[in-house]
Amino acid sequence: MHPLPLIAPNPPRLSEHADALRRLEASGVFSNNGPEVQAFESEVTDALFDGMGATLAVANATLGLMIALREAVGPATPPPGTLALMPALTFAATAQAAIWAGLTPLICDIDPDDWSASAAAEDALLSRYGDRIGAIVPYATFGNAIDLDRYIALNQRRGVGVVVDAASSLGTRDDAGVGFGAASPFATVYSMHATKTFAVAEGGLIHCGNPDRIARLRAMASFGFEQCRIASLPGLNAKLPEVLALMARLKLAEIGTVCERRAALESAYRGALDGFQLQRVAGRSRASQFMPVVLPPHLALHRDAIAAMLADRQIGCGRYFSPHLGQQPLFQQTALIEPTPVADRIADAMLSLPLTDTMSVDDVARVTDALNHACRAVDARSVPVAPVATSRAIANVVVIGGGPAGSAILLAAGTKGLLPSLASGLVMVERDEAIGGGQLGRYAITSDTTADTFLSAVRGSTHPQIVALADHPAARAVAQHSGALGVPLTEVGPLLRETGRRLTTLIRDHGGTVLTGHEALGATRRADGLWSVRLRRLSDGAEVEQIARNLVIAAGGHQPLDRLSTQVVAGGRLIDMAGGRLLQSDEVLSVGGFEKVADLLAGRRAPRVAVIGGSTSAAATLFSLLKGRPAIPFGAGALTLLHREPLRPFFPSVAAAAADGFSDFGPDDICPVSGFVYRLAGFRLEARELMLRMLGVDGRQPDPRVTLHRIRGDDDADAREIMERADLVIAALGYRPVGLPLSDAAGNAIALAAHGGAPMVDRHCRVMGDDGEPVPGLYGIGLAAGFVPWGHLGGEKSFRGQANGLWLWQNDVGLMIVQQLLGEAQQVAA
């Protein structure tokens, strides 16, 4: 029985082409774009790309990607933090090339069918990061002919550079029967490595429909020389030697036959592989390098055993690309990584089967028979996997929600060395595919938290993995805003997600469980005092019961629509006064929200907007409308803020307030711990600057486009008229906690104080029942929880409301919960 290796390199044999070698030697040229390179470039353009555009041969595809990416982002050195958007399921060279080109990889999820970059993920990240994305690097997965028209449209509409990584696609033909990448306006980079279908020894190829771009790339591949030995472009030495160009010419002569033979083998595989997920193929034909298959979920855990059984039968296999980019240590340190649930699933279950030039259809049958036999053998001896794997029969605590508030508990524990003790009895449940970020990164506004606050939890940790985050690109992007009025939340999200990824590892290393992609359906307090929490996996609906001694609700807040139908403002029902012109501030502040407002106001010569509320979100809404681009033509008095309570700016001290000429405060408005004026009630950062202007503090001039109107009691006709005349009414009325159905042992609903509009938690973060007593073993933290600082936490006596601050959550408030969860004995042991 002959071996069937996964890959059997089959480059041209130079020993059989002595005349060609003598021709090369007689030319006296061995590099520097000699006659063999020039002939190959011309021949391959005609043979594979129907004579369209131009082609550049390079020493290898990685160098080709490096110069193509550098050219795509423009002649100037890219600013630090410029991103290269790419899919997770690709070879390391894609991300390495971006790093060498001065870019930070931004890794996104993939399409579940064709395994290329997810269009939805790309669109979301282009909207979130905007001009920070200097280039998109789609990967033509396993030689597939991906949709280049989509990237042409993105290139034209957004002005973002595009470089296609088509390492395995030299020889692939698109739906029109033309070589993949022909005539595209951007660079498409192919490999001619010995392991590829277009096997040479080493080498790469760049094709583009724009000959001028190829001319620039040719200069960059030769030290940036546009003129004789004068560098005018960034460059390096990426020239293809003549002997490799000769081999490439010989391979070009046979590539059509090679691809046809491999296509027949792939067809045989597809006819014999039942029960496996196969890649959805695009294009008329492709230069298949191997046959990728995805094992069924119940067999994916046994992939190594299946591969070993194939090896016993002298059949090679691979695991391209597992681990994918987002799972590799270098890129976890240097890239921004989005949640990649599809790539995780595909990579963990991927198996690559042999497909070589010397194989026959009978060999394919041998491989598929062996694979099916191995799967049956593993299946027969496998123990069924539980629908949801949790850490223990009884957890000490289940945390519902792994966003900024839920993760803050972990960070607070980490600052005191308590995280291992907390993690050992922890089950964290999060709907998203990663913990840490929650919904924070989807807001297109600047935070009311400073850059140093976001970084303090990283720097103050007792865990080296967390401290090391300070040097991560996500942390450096946030640090660039030190001293500024907040940080764009779209840049905060990656830092929180990377923090969450490292916290996940720490939790699991210490015996805890993180269930991403899960939701809590409800919880019952049993007669024995334990909580029974019903969890559901979102991917397939599988449910499980988790028993816990304690439960922490950190599910965040929302702006419920039903509130609008009953909300009364200035003596009138809001829905009656605003009707179809009513939005909630959350819609406006999210990514794409400004564009939605601009669209709704389009065509109005003098648009008018009323914003209702005196909170930070109300001020952020105003600020977003004022600074959005392209600007909405707001005239004088076009924006009106309707508020009930006085608008108070924060000051770091009484002296600072006096220096600014602000005196509208008394002793009860000063925090006794910090000395801050309006520590809790005061607007901060951008919102503060806007309010200082509007209040005319220290001679500041109000923005003429904004008017303040303090609502006078329950019958303010002027306020009602403002809302009725407005083209849009935006309700910034705060948030309510996301609820979790709770019941007692008898099945009766547990009524909470929050159901009646009271704060959800007391001063110890214990969730309160409607009887005014804390519900045993139940805690809450986060947006809309209603916590009010007290004692050593500080705060002014006059404050009425709730305090929501990441610093508080990650420090005193989070630690307060941790201490109650662990108890005194466990804290001493820790």
Side-chain angles (χ1 to χ4, degrees), residues 147 262 332 349 363 508 521 577 677 693 715 751 785 827:
D147 180 11
R262 289 184 174 229
Q332 289 178 343
D363 290 328
R508 290 171 176 165
L521 301 177
M577 292 182 287
V677 178
R693 289 187 62 186
D715 188 15
Q827 291 179 61

Side-chain angles (χ1 to χ4, degrees), residues 408-419 764-765 781 792 807-822 827:
I409 300 172
L410 309 178
L411 289 168
T415 63
K416 301 297 183 183
L418 298 174
L419 185 55
H764 300 287
C765 292
I781 187 174
H792 73 279
W807 188 90
L808 277 172
W809 298 346
Q810 293 175 343
N811 290 276
D812 292 328
V813 175
L815 191 59
M816 181 188 299
I817 295 177
V818 171
Q819 289 170 338
Q820 294 175 87
L821 294 174
L822 292 182
Q827 291 179 61

Side-chain angles (χ1 to χ4, degrees), residues 42 59 61 102 123 135 150 155 172 188 205 207 284 307 334 372 405 429 584 588 595 598 640 670 715-716 734 789 813:
S42 175
D123 288 341
R150 164 178 161 73
N155 174 248
T172 293
T188 303
L205 196 72
H207 179 78
R284 184 172 297 182
T334 57
N372 287 323
V429 182
Q584 298 210 74
V588 180
E595 290 76 8
T640 302
I670 303 170
D715 188 15
D716 188 336
V813 175

